[in-house]
Coordinates of all heavy atoms in Angstrom, one line a residue:
M1 N 169.5 45.4 46.2 CA 168.6 45.2 47.3 C 168.3 43.7 47.4 O 167.9 43.1 46.4 CB 167.3 46.0 47.1 CG 166.3 45.7 48.2 SD 164.8 46.7 48.2 CE 164.6 47.3 46.6
D2 N 168.5 43.1 48.6 CA 168.2 41.7 48.8 C 166.7 41.5 49.0 O 166.1 42.1 50.0 CB 168.9 41.3 50.1 CG 168.7 39.8 50.4 OD1 168.5 39.0 49.4 OD2 168.7 39.5 51.6
V3 N 166.0 40.8 48.1 CA 164.6 40.6 48.1 C 164.1 39.9 49.4 O 163.1 40.3 50.0 CB 164.1 39.9 46.9 CG1 162.6 39.5 47.0 CG2 164.4 40.7 45.6
E4 N 164.9 38.9 49.8 CA 164.5 38.2 51.0 C 164.5 39.1 52.3 O 163.7 39.0 53.1 CB 165.4 37.0 51.2 CG 165.0 36.0 52.3 CD 163.6 35.5 52.1 OE1 163.2 35.2 51.0 OE2 162.9 35.3 53.1
M5 N 165.5 39.9 52.3 CA 165.6 40.9 53.5 C 164.5 41.9 53.4 O 163.8 42.1 54.4 CB 167.0 41.6 53.4 CG 167.2 42.5 54.6 SD 167.2 41.5 56.1 CE 167.8 42.7 57.2
T6 N 164.2 42.4 52.2 CA 163.0 43.3 52.1 C 161.7 42.6 52.5 O 160.9 43.2 53.1 CB 162.9 43.7 50.6 OG1 164.2 44.4 50.2 CG2 161.8 44.7 50.4
K7 N 161.6 41.3 52.1 CA 160.4 40.6 52.5 C 160.2 40.5 54.0 O 159.2 40.8 54.5 CB 160.4 39.2 51.8 CG 159.2 38.4 52.0 CD 159.2 37.1 51.3 CE 157.9 36.3 51.5 NZ 157.9 35.0 50.8
R8 N 161.3 40.1 54.6 CA 161.3 40.0 56.1 C 161.0 41.4 56.8 O 160.3 41.5 57.7 CB 162.6 39.4 56.6 CG 162.7 37.9 56.5 CD 163.9 37.4 57.1 NE 165.0 37.7 56.1 CZ 166.2 37.2 56.1 NH1 166.6 36.4 57.1 NH2 167.1 37.5 55.2
E9 N 161.6 42.4 56.2 CA 161.4 43.8 56.8 C 159.9 44.2 56.6 O 159.3 44.7 57.6 CB 162.3 44.8 56.1 CG 163.8 44.7 56.4 CD 164.6 45.5 55.5 OE1 164.1 46.2 54.6 OE2 165.8 45.6 55.8
M10 N 159.4 43.9 55.5 CA 158.0 44.2 55.3 C 157.1 43.4 56.2 O 156.1 43.9 56.7 CB 157.6 44.0 53.8 CG 158.2 45.1 52.9 SD 157.7 44.9 51.2 CE 156.1 45.5 51.2
E11 N 157.4 42.1 56.3 CA 156.6 41.3 57.2 C 156.7 41.8 58.6 O 155.7 41.7 59.4 CB 157.0 39.8 57.1 CG 156.7 39.2 55.8 CD 157.3 37.8 55.5 OE1 158.3 37.5 56.3 OE2 156.9 37.1 54.6
E12 N 157.8 42.2 59.1 CA 158.0 42.8 60.4 C 157.2 44.1 60.6 O 156.5 44.3 61.6 CB 159.5 43.1 60.7 CG 159.7 43.6 62.1 CD 159.4 42.6 63.2 OE1 159.2 41.4 62.9 OE2 159.3 43.0 64.4
Q13 N 157.2 44.9 59.5 CA 156.4 46.2 59.6 C 154.9 45.8 59.7 O 154.1 46.4 60.5 CB 156.6 47.0 58.3 CG 157.9 47.7 58.2 CD 158.0 48.5 56.9 OE1 157.3 48.2 55.9 NE2 158.8 49.5 57.0
I14 N 154.4 44.8 59.0 CA 153.0 44.4 59.0 C 152.7 43.8 60.4 O 151.6 44.2 60.9 CB 152.8 43.3 57.9 CG1 152.8 44.0 56.5 CG2 151.4 42.6 58.1 CD1 152.9 43.1 55.3
R15 N 153.6 43.0 60.9 CA 153.3 42.4 62.3 C 153.2 43.5 63.3 O 152.3 43.6 64.1 CB 154.5 41.5 62.6 CG 154.2 40.7 64.0 CD 155.5 40.0 64.4 NE 156.6 40.9 64.7 CZ 156.7 41.6 65.8 NH1 155.7 41.6 66.7 NH2 157.8 42.4 66.0
K16 N 154.1 44.5 63.3 CA 154.1 45.6 64.2 C 152.8 46.5 64.1 O 152.2 46.9 65.0 CB 155.3 46.5 64.1 CG 156.6 45.9 64.6 CD 157.8 46.8 64.5 CE 159.0 46.1 65.0 NZ 160.2 47.0 64.8
K17 N 152.5 46.8 62.8 CA 151.3 47.6 62.6 C 150.0 46.9 63.0 O 149.1 47.4 63.6 CB 151.2 47.9 61.1 CG 150.0 48.8 60.7 CD 149.8 50.0 61.6 CE 150.8 51.1 61.2 NZ 150.6 52.4 62.0
R18 N 150.0 45.5 62.8 CA 148.8 44.8 63.3 C 148.7 44.8 64.8 O 147.6 45.0 65.3 CB 148.9 43.3 62.8 CG 147.7 42.4 63.2 CD 147.9 41.0 62.6 NE 147.7 41.0 61.2 CZ 148.6 40.5 60.3 NH1 149.7 40.0 60.7 NH2 148.3 40.6 59.0
E19 N 149.8 44.6 65.5 CA 149.8 44.7 67.0 C 149.4 46.0 67.5 O 148.6 46.2 68.4 CB 151.2 44.3 67.5 CG 151.5 42.8 67.3 CD 153.0 42.5 67.8 OE1 153.7 43.4 68.2 OE2 153.3 41.3 67.7
Q20 N 149.9 47.1 66.8 CA 149.6 48.4 67.2 C 148.1 48.7 67.0 O 147.4 49.3 67.8 CB 150.4 49.4 66.3 CG 150.1 50.9 66.6 CD 150.7 51.8 65.6 OE1 151.0 51.4 64.4 NE2 151.0 53.0 66.0
M21 N 147.5 48.2 65.9 CA 146.1 48.4 65.6 C 145.2 47.7 66.6 O 144.2 48.2 67.1 CB 145.7 47.9 64.2 CG 144.3 48.1 63.8 SD 143.8 47.1 62.3 CE 143.9 45.5 63.0
I22 N 145.6 46.5 67.0 CA 144.9 45.7 68.0 C 144.9 46.5 69.4 O 143.9 46.6 70.1 CB 145.5 44.3 68.2 CG1 145.1 43.5 66.9 CG2 144.9 43.6 69.4 CD1 145.9 42.2 66.8
E23 N 146.0 47.0 69.8 CA 146.1 47.8 71.0 C 145.3 49.0 71.0 O 144.6 49.4 71.9 CB 147.6 48.1 71.3 CG 148.4 47.0 71.8 CD 147.8 46.3 73.0 OE1 147.4 47.0 74.0 OE2 147.7 45.1 73.0
I24 N 145.3 49.7 69.8 CA 144.5 50.9 69.7 C 143.0 50.5 69.8 O 142.2 51.2 70.5 CB 144.8 51.6 68.4 CG1 146.2 52.2 68.4 CG2 143.7 52.7 68.1 CD1 146.7 52.8 67.0
A25 N 142.6 49.4 69.2 CA 141.2 49.0 69.2 C 140.8 48.6 70.6 O 139.7 48.9 71.0 CB 141.0 47.8 68.3
K26 N 141.7 48.0 71.4 CA 141.4 47.6 72.8 C 141.2 48.9 73.6 O 140.3 48.9 74.5 CB 142.5 46.8 73.4 CG 142.6 45.4 72.9 CD 143.7 44.7 73.5 CE 143.9 43.2 73.1 NZ 145.1 42.6 73.6
Q27 N 141.9 49.9 73.4 CA 141.9 51.2 74.1 C 140.7 52.1 73.7 O 140.1 52.7 74.6 CB 143.2 51.9 74.0 CG 144.4 51.3 74.7 CD 145.6 52.1 74.4 OE1 145.6 53.2 73.9 NE2 146.8 51.5 74.8
H28 N 140.5 52.1 72.4 CA 139.5 53.1 71.9 C 138.3 52.6 71.2 O 137.4 53.3 70.9 CB 140.2 54.0 70.9 CG 141.4 54.8 71.5 ND1 141.3 55.9 72.3 CD2 142.7 54.5 71.4 CE1 142.5 56.3 72.6 NE2 143.4 55.5 72.1
G29 N 138.3 51.3 71.0 CA 137.1 50.6 70.3 C 137.4 50.4 68.8 O 138.2 51.1 68.2
F30 N 136.6 49.5 68.3 CA 136.8 49.1 66.9 C 136.4 50.2 65.9 O 136.9 50.2 64.8 CB 136.1 47.8 66.6 CG 136.7 46.6 67.3 CD1 136.2 46.1 68.4 CD2 137.9 46.0 66.8 CE1 136.7 45.0 69.0 CE2 138.5 44.9 67.4 CZ 137.9 44.4 68.5
T31 N 135.5 51.0 66.2 CA 135.0 52.0 65.3 C 135.6 53.4 65.5 O 135.2 54.3 64.8 CB 133.5 52.1 65.3 OG1 133.1 52.4 66.7 CG2 132.8 50.8 64.9
N32 N 136.5 53.5 66.4 CA 137.2 54.8 66.7 C 138.0 55.2 65.5 O 138.6 54.4 64.8 CB 138.0 54.7 68.0 CG 138.7 56.0 68.3 OD1 139.7 56.3 67.8 ND2 138.1 56.7 69.3
E33 N 138.1 56.5 65.3 CA 138.9 57.1 64.2 C 140.3 56.6 64.2 O 140.9 56.3 63.1 CB 138.8 58.6 64.2 CG 139.4 59.2 63.0 CD 139.2 60.7 63.0 OE1 138.1 61.2 63.4 OE2 140.1 61.4 62.5
K34 N 140.9 56.5 65.4 CA 142.3 56.1 65.5 C 142.5 54.6 65.0 O 143.5 54.3 64.3 CB 142.8 56.3 66.9 CG 143.0 57.7 67.4 CD 143.4 57.8 68.8 CE 143.5 59.2 69.3 NZ 143.9 59.3 70.7
T35 N 141.5 53.8 65.4 CA 141.6 52.4 65.0 C 141.4 52.3 63.5 O 142.1 51.5 62.8 CB 140.5 51.6 65.7 OG1 140.6 51.8 67.1 CG2 140.6 50.1 65.4
L36 N 140.5 53.0 62.9 CA 140.2 53.0 61.5 C 141.5 53.5 60.7 O 141.8 52.9 59.7 CB 139.0 53.8 61.1 CG 137.7 53.3 61.7 CD1 136.5 54.2 61.4 CD2 137.4 51.8 61.3
K37 N 142.1 54.5 61.2 CA 143.3 55.0 60.5 C 144.4 54.0 60.6 O 145.1 53.7 59.6 CB 143.8 56.3 61.2 CG 144.9 57.0 60.5 CD 145.3 58.3 61.2 CE 146.3 59.1 60.5 NZ 147.5 58.5 60.1
S38 N 144.6 53.3 61.7 CA 145.6 52.3 61.8 C 145.3 51.1 60.9 O 146.2 50.5 60.3 CB 145.7 51.8 63.3 OG 146.7 50.9 63.4
S39 N 144.0 50.8 60.8 CA 143.6 49.7 59.9 C 143.9 50.0 58.5 O 144.3 49.1 57.7 CB 142.1 49.4 60.1 OG 141.6 48.4 59.2
Q40 N 143.6 51.2 58.1 CA 143.9 51.6 56.7 C 145.4 51.6 56.4 O 145.9 51.2 55.4 CB 143.4 53.0 56.5 CG 141.9 53.1 56.4 CD 141.3 54.5 56.4 OE1 142.0 55.5 56.7 NE2 140.1 54.6 56.0
E41 N 146.2 52.0 57.4 CA 147.7 51.9 57.3 C 148.1 50.4 57.1 O 149.0 50.1 56.3 CB 148.4 52.6 58.5 CG 148.2 54.1 58.5 CD 148.6 54.7 59.8 OE1 149.1 53.9 60.8 OE2 148.6 55.9 59.9
L42 N 147.5 49.6 57.9 CA 147.8 48.1 57.8 C 147.4 47.6 56.4 O 148.2 46.9 55.7 CB 147.1 47.3 58.9 CG 147.3 45.8 58.8 CD1 148.7 45.4 58.8 CD2 146.5 45.1 59.9
D43 N 146.2 48.0 55.9 CA 145.8 47.6 54.6 C 146.8 48.1 53.5 O 147.1 47.3 52.6 CB 144.4 48.3 54.3 CG 143.3 47.6 55.0 OD1 143.5 46.5 55.6 OD2 142.2 48.2 55.1
N44 N 147.3 49.3 53.6 CA 148.3 49.8 52.7 C 149.5 49.0 52.7 O 150.1 48.7 51.6 CB 148.6 51.3 52.9 CG 147.5 52.2 52.6 OD1 146.6 51.9 51.7 ND2 147.4 53.3 53.2
L45 N 150.0 48.6 53.8 CA 151.2 47.7 53.9 C 150.9 46.4 53.3 O 151.8 45.8 52.6 CB 151.6 47.6 55.4 CG 152.3 48.7 56.1 CD1 152.5 48.4 57.5 CD2 153.6 49.1 55.4
L46 N 149.8 45.8 53.6 CA 149.4 44.5 53.0 C 149.3 44.6 51.5 O 149.8 43.6 50.8 CB 148.1 44.0 53.6 CG 148.2 43.6 55.1 CD1 146.8 43.3 55.7 CD2 149.1 42.3 55.3
N47 N 148.7 45.6 51.0 CA 148.6 45.8 49.5 C 150.0 45.9 48.9 O 150.2 45.3 47.8 CB 147.7 47.0 49.2 CG 146.3 46.7 49.5 OD1 145.8 45.6 49.6 ND2 145.5 47.8 49.8
K48 N 150.8 46.7 49.5 CA 152.2 46.9 49.0 C 152.9 45.6 49.0 O 153.6 45.2 48.0 CB 152.9 47.9 49.9 CG 154.3 48.2 49.4 CD 154.9 49.3 50.4 CE 156.3 49.6 50.0 NZ 157.0 50.5 50.9
Y49 N 152.8 44.8 50.0 CA 153.4 43.5 50.1 C 152.9 42.6 49.0 O 153.7 41.9 48.4 CB 153.1 42.9 51.5 CG 153.8 41.6 51.8 CD1 155.1 41.5 52.3 CD2 153.1 40.4 51.6 CE1 155.6 40.2 52.6 CE2 153.6 39.1 51.8 CZ 154.9 39.1 52.3 OH 155.5 37.9 52.5
Q50 N 151.6 42.5 48.9 CA 151.0 41.7 47.8 C 151.5 42.1 46.4 O 151.8 41.2 45.6 CB 149.5 41.7 47.9 CG 148.9 40.7 48.8 CD 147.4 40.6 48.6 OE1 146.7 41.7 48.5 NE2 146.9 39.4 48.6
R51 N 151.5 43.3 46.1 CA 152.0 43.8 44.8 C 153.4 43.4 44.6 O 153.8 43.0 43.5 CB 151.8 45.3 44.7 CG 150.4 45.7 44.3 CD 150.3 47.2 43.9 NE 150.8 48.1 44.9 CZ 150.1 48.6 45.9 NH1 148.8 48.3 46.1 NH2 150.7 49.4 46.8
F52 N 154.2 43.6 45.6 CA 155.7 43.4 45.5 C 156.0 41.9 45.3 O 156.9 41.6 44.5 CB 156.4 44.0 46.6 CG 157.9 44.1 46.4 CD1 158.4 45.1 45.7 CD2 158.8 43.2 47.0 CE1 159.8 45.3 45.5 CE2 160.1 43.3 46.8 CZ 160.6 44.3 46.0
F53 N 155.3 41.1 46.0 CA 155.7 39.7 46.1 C 154.7 38.8 45.3 O 154.8 37.5 45.5 CB 155.9 39.2 47.5 CG 157.0 39.9 48.2 CD1 156.8 40.8 49.1 CD2 158.3 39.6 47.8 CE1 157.8 41.5 49.8 CE2 159.4 40.3 48.4 CZ 159.1 41.2 49.4
R54 N 153.8 39.4 44.6 CA 152.8 38.6 43.8 C 153.5 37.6 42.9 O 154.5 37.9 42.2 CB 151.9 39.5 43.0 CG 151.0 38.8 42.1 CD 150.1 39.8 41.3 NE 150.7 41.1 41.2 CZ 149.9 42.2 41.1 NH1 148.6 42.1 41.2 NH2 150.5 43.4 41.0
S55 N 153.0 36.4 42.9 CA 153.6 35.4 42.0 C 152.5 34.6 41.4 O 151.6 34.1 42.1 CB 154.5 34.5 42.8 OG 155.1 33.5 42.0
P56 N 152.4 34.4 40.1 CA 153.2 35.0 39.1 C 152.9 36.4 38.9 O 151.8 36.8 39.2 CB 153.0 34.1 37.9 CG 151.6 33.7 38.0 CD 151.4 33.5 39.5
K57 N 153.8 37.1 38.3 CA 153.5 38.5 37.9 C 152.5 38.6 36.8 O 152.4 37.7 36.0 CB 154.8 39.2 37.4 CG 155.9 39.3 38.4 CD 155.7 40.3 39.5 CE 156.9 40.4 40.4 NZ 156.6 41.2 41.5
I58 N 151.7 39.6 36.8 CA 150.7 39.7 35.8 C 151.4 40.0 34.5 O 152.3 40.8 34.4 CB 149.7 40.9 36.1 CG1 148.9 40.5 37.4 CG2 148.8 41.2 34.9 CD1 148.0 41.6 37.8
R59 N 151.0 39.2 33.5 CA 151.7 39.4 32.2 C 150.9 40.4 31.3 O 149.7 40.5 31.4 CB 151.7 38.0 31.5 CG 152.5 37.0 32.2 CD 152.5 35.7 31.4 NE 153.2 34.7 32.2 CZ 152.6 33.5 32.5 NH1 151.4 33.2 32.1 NH2 153.3 32.7 33.2
E60 N 151.7 41.0 30.5 CA 151.0 41.9 29.5 C 150.7 41.0 28.2 O 151.6 40.3 27.7 CB 151.9 43.0 29.1 CG 152.1 44.0 30.3 CD 152.8 45.3 29.8 OE1 152.8 45.6 28.6 OE2 153.5 45.8 30.7
Y61 N 149.5 41.1 27.8 CA 149.1 40.3 26.6 C 149.2 41.1 25.4 O 148.9 42.3 25.4 CB 147.7 39.7 26.8 CG 147.7 38.7 27.9 CD1 147.3 39.0 29.2 CD2 148.0 37.4 27.7 CE1 147.2 38.1 30.2 CE2 148.0 36.4 28.7 CZ 147.6 36.8 30.0 OH 147.6 35.9 30.9
P62 N 149.6 40.6 24.3 CA 149.6 41.3 23.0 C 148.2 41.7 22.6 O 147.3 41.0 22.9 CB 150.2 40.4 22.0 CG 150.1 39.0 22.6 CD 150.0 39.2 24.1
T63 N 148.1 42.9 22.0 CA 146.8 43.3 21.5 C 146.8 43.2 20.0 O 147.8 43.1 19.3 CB 146.6 44.8 21.9 OG1 147.7 45.6 21.3 CG2 146.6 45.0 23.4
A64 N 145.6 43.0 19.5 CA 145.4 42.9 18.1 C 144.6 44.1 17.6 O 143.8 44.6 18.3 CB 144.6 41.6 17.8
S65 N 144.9 44.5 16.4 CA 144.1 45.6 15.8 C 143.7 45.2 14.4 O 144.4 44.4 13.7 CB 144.9 46.9 15.8 OG 146.1 46.7 15.0
F66 N 142.6 45.7 14.0 CA 142.1 45.4 12.6 C 141.3 46.5 12.1 O 140.9 47.4 12.9 CB 141.4 44.1 12.6 CG 140.1 44.1 13.4 CD1 138.9 44.5 12.8 CD2 140.1 43.7 14.7 CE1 137.7 44.5 13.5 CE2 138.9 43.7 15.4 CZ 137.7 44.1 14.8
S67 N 141.1 46.5 10.9 CA 140.3 47.6 10.2 C 139.1 46.9 9.5 O 139.2 45.8 9.1 CB 141.1 48.4 9.2 OG 140.4 49.2 8.4
I68 N 138.0 47.6 9.3 CA 136.9 47.1 8.6 C 137.3 46.8 7.2 O 136.8 45.9 6.5 CB 135.7 48.1 8.7 CG1 134.4 47.4 8.2 CG2 136.0 49.3 7.9 CD1 133.9 46.3 9.1
N69 N 138.3 47.5 6.7 CA 138.8 47.2 5.3 C 139.5 45.9 5.2 O 139.7 45.4 4.1 CB 139.8 48.3 4.9 CG 139.2 49.7 4.8 OD1 138.0 49.8 4.5 ND2 139.9 50.7 5.1
D70 N 139.8 45.2 6.3 CA 140.4 43.9 6.3 C 139.4 42.9 6.0 O 139.7 41.7 5.7 CB 141.0 43.6 7.7 CG 142.2 44.4 8.0 OD1 142.8 45.0 7.1 OD2 142.5 44.6 9.2
F71 N 138.1 43.3 5.9 CA 137.0 42.3 5.7 C 136.1 42.8 4.5 O 135.0 43.3 4.7 CB 136.1 42.2 6.9 CG 136.9 41.7 8.1 CD1 137.4 42.7 9.1 CD2 137.2 40.4 8.3 CE1 138.1 42.2 10.2 CE2 137.9 40.0 9.4 CZ 138.4 40.9 10.3
P72 N 136.6 42.7 3.3 CA 135.9 43.3 2.1 C 134.6 42.6 1.8 O 133.7 43.1 1.2 CB 136.9 43.1 1.0 CG 137.8 42.0 1.4 CD 137.9 42.1 2.9
D73 N 134.4 41.3 2.3 CA 133.2 40.6 2.0 C 132.0 40.9 2.9 O 130.9 40.5 2.7 CB 133.4 39.1 2.1 CG 134.4 38.6 1.1 OD1 134.6 39.3 0.0 OD2 135.1 37.6 1.3
L74 N 132.2 41.8 4.0 CA 131.1 42.1 4.9 C 130.2 43.1 4.1 O 130.6 43.9 3.4 CB 131.7 42.9 6.1 CG 132.4 42.0 7.1 CD1 132.9 42.9 8.2 CD2 131.5 40.9 7.7
P75 N 128.8 42.9 4.3 CA 127.9 43.8 3.7 C 128.0 45.2 4.2 O 128.4 45.4 5.4 CB 126.5 43.2 4.0 CG 126.8 42.3 5.2 CD 128.2 41.9 5.1
S76 N 127.7 46.2 3.4 CA 127.8 47.6 3.8 C 126.7 47.9 4.9 O 125.6 47.4 4.8 CB 127.6 48.5 2.6 OG 127.5 49.8 3.0
L77 N 127.0 48.7 5.8 CA 126.0 49.1 6.8 C 125.3 50.4 6.5 O 124.4 50.8 7.2 CB 126.7 49.3 8.2 CG 127.3 48.0 8.8 CD1 128.1 48.3 10.1 CD2 126.3 46.9 9.0
S78 N 125.7 51.0 5.4 CA 125.1 52.3 5.0 C 123.7 52.0 4.4 O 123.5 51.0 3.7 CB 125.9 53.1 4.1 OG 126.2 52.3 2.9
A79 N 122.8 52.9 4.5 CA 121.4 52.7 4.1 C 121.3 53.1 2.6 O 122.0 53.8 2.0 CB 120.5 53.6 4.9

């Protein structure tokens, strides 16, 4: 899959959905259920686009583990 082509396709989908949402809002109002549904669909496309093309990618950081037995000099917590 060509990433640049996918990017352009997604940008075109976003552009079309935005235009569609604006037209729906003009016809039905900004708080109409149809407008809100279209807005949510646009949000989903934008979120998908951001996740796919985010730069830099979120890195996974190594985790550390330890045991209380690794610290023999600590005072006991028991009464």
Side-chain angles (χ1 to χ4, degrees):
M1 173 175 24
D2 180 35
V3 173
E4 188 59 35
M5 185 61 167
T6 302
K7 184 175 182 181
R8 280 185 284 193
E9 288 171 353
M10 289 182 75
E11 288 169 349
E12 183 64 16
Q13 285 180 337
I14 290 167
R15 185 189 65 74
K16 286 180 179 178
K17 179 53 72 176
R18 183 178 287 124
E19 289 174 359
Q20 179 187 28
M21 183 192 68
I22 291 168
E23 286 304 312
I24 293 171
K26 285 179 182 177
Q27 292 175 9
H28 301 282
F30 289 102
T31 58
N32 183 276
E33 188 175 325
K34 291 177 183 180
T35 305
L36 297 176
K37 185 177 186 310
S38 183
S39 176
Q40 289 171 343
E41 291 170 356
L42 176 59
D43 287 344
N44 288 335
L45 287 173
L46 290 167
N47 290 335
K48 182 178 176 182
Y49 181 88
Q50 274 191 314
R51 280 191 304 270
F52 193 78
F53 296 106
R54 174 180 22 214
S55 181
K57 300 283 185 192
I58 295 176
R59 298 183 186 124
E60 291 187 26
Y61 293 96
T63 58
S65 63
F66 65 91
S67 167
I68 195 67
N69 296 330
D70 295 338
F71 304 96
D73 295 336
L74 286 177
S76 174
L77 296 176
S78 59

